[in-house]
Amino acid sequence: MARKIVIVDTNVIVSGLIGSDPNSPPARILDAMLEGDFPYVMSTALFNEYSSVLRRPAVVRQHGLTEPEVVLLLTNLTENAIWHDPVISNMAPDFGDNHIWALLESQPHALLITGDKLLIGNPPTGAIVISPRNVIEMILA
């Protein structure tokens, strides 16, 4: 199978950081992003969401990264990303995810990796929305 372009939801990044198993699907996806092992798309809105969520006090307590480490992580994620800032045209099942829907719609061959069951259960027409566990072999094989 040809490599897919991927959009990685914030919950996957956070799960990859705070999980106790370094071989969990979210941890492997995060590591692969940092290594540039597969193409992924990021927008300004998605980057801003990564940044704000990683700095939430409750999340900081879980991942334990210092502010300089968060900045380095975000910098490394942006270095390997394909940047695209689409216009939001359709509404996601959750209003807070409209920026992700816009990215997905603007990249017709991309797939969205998320742990959000609402998004997985209600993908846009023709789109692929899949959980981290179900995507490991597809993008990291």
Side-chain angles (χ1 to χ4, degrees):
M1 169 184 279
R3 293 217 122 158
K4 287 278 197 184
I5 294 175
V6 176
I7 301 162
V8 182
D9 198 356
T10 306
N11 59 57
V12 177
I13 303 297
V14 172
S15 294
L17 282 175
I18 67 173
S20 59
D21 180 2
N23 292 312
S24 70
R28 289 180 59 199
I29 290 166
L30 177 58
D31 289 345
M33 290 173 75
L34 292 168
E35 293 296 321
D37 289 344
F38 61 86
Y40 59 93
V41 179
M42 189 180 302
S43 65
T44 302
L46 184 56
F47 172 82
N48 289 340
E49 183 177 79
Y50 286 178
S51 179
S52 68
V53 171
L54 290 173
R55 289 181 167 100
R56 288 179 183 165
V59 176
V60 171
R61 282 191 296 277
Q62 290 183 306
H63 65 55
L65 298 177
T66 64
E67 178 60 19
E69 290 170 328
V70 170
V71 169
L72 181 60
L73 172 67
L74 291 168
T75 300
N76 290 338
L77 286 171
T78 63
E79 288 175 349
N80 293 319
I82 300 165
W83 283 87
H84 186 68
D85 282 312
V87 175
I88 295 172
S89 59
N90 290 315
M91 303 303 268
D94 178 351
F95 178 78
D97 291 321
N98 285 342
H99 63 287
I100 294 173
W101 242 227
L103 263 178
L104 190 57
E105 290 176 345
S106 73
Q107 302 291 317
H109 301 292
L111 62 89
L112 170 63
I113 304 172
T114 183
D116 186 327
K117 290 180 173 47
L118 182 61
L119 298 181
I120 292 170
N122 299 286
T125 303
I128 300 172
V129 181
I130 192 166
S131 74
R133 182 167 312 282
N134 292 333
V135 79
I136 288 296
E137 290 76 25
M138 185 183 298
I139 64 168
L140 298 179

